[in-house]
Amino acid sequence: MPSLAEVLQSRPYPGRGVLAARTAGGGRCLAYFLTGRSPASREREIAVLADGDVAVRSTSQEGPADALRHYVAGARRGDVVVVGNGSQVVPIAEALANGADPLTAASPHSYEPDGPIFTPRIWISTTTAPGAPVLVGYATRSDRGGAADRVIWAPGELSPRHGILMSTYDASAAHVRTARLPQDFHTDASSPDELLVEMFGALDPDLRVAALALDPDDFADSLEIVS
């Protein structure tokens, strides 16, 4: 199985990514990262809001917020934790916390209207219940007239040092290509902060912008951020 670094280095411009992993000691981690090509995309940071949500926001005080670049990337509602790349994160967390099945929770959310790329909406979730499974969700633009294909993927139980990554892109910055499948990886990280270091260090320094990692069982106190 490839390492997390090998997976990320095989896709030089991954765009944004969500990860779930078990640490070397069996602990759970969720993580999120963003990369950017343009100055506007790079002028961003991850910060904790007053209500406890974790947001991607501008580092500049000029101009209005852009919903495609500024959004809540991590939220906990009840025992549900969701991380992802856009406006779908909070509604999905709320819907899951209120008992909706995952496909119903995800069905209102499509890919981004940023043609010609049409960036996928991606998210990953779990709950604080013992042994709770991980769900990976994504909405991509189909080749059938632009309809949205929505996938809810429930991988088998992760073993220690095992992780799952879903990114929006899987090629280079010069030839952006949307990703279609999650990928397994190996990690030796023993905590969210070690996973964060491993993940951020594997991203191209000229493209990486910010990242977060957390233990879903201890959302607020375990949260680690790098920008």
Side-chain angles (χ1 to χ4, degrees), residues 2 4 20 37 45 60 99 116-117 123 131-134 148 150 164 198 200 208 219:
L4 174 56
R37 297 179 297 171
E45 64 181 0
S60 171
I117 298 174
W123 55 275
V134 166
R150 296 177 181 87
I164 300 290
E198 181 181 1
F200 203 66
R208 66 189 182 195
F219 185 99

Side-chain angles (χ1 to χ4, degrees), residues 132-144:
V134 166
L135 295 177
V136 181
Y138 49 103
T140 61
R141 186 177 189 270
S142 79
D143 296 326
R144 303 178 306 280

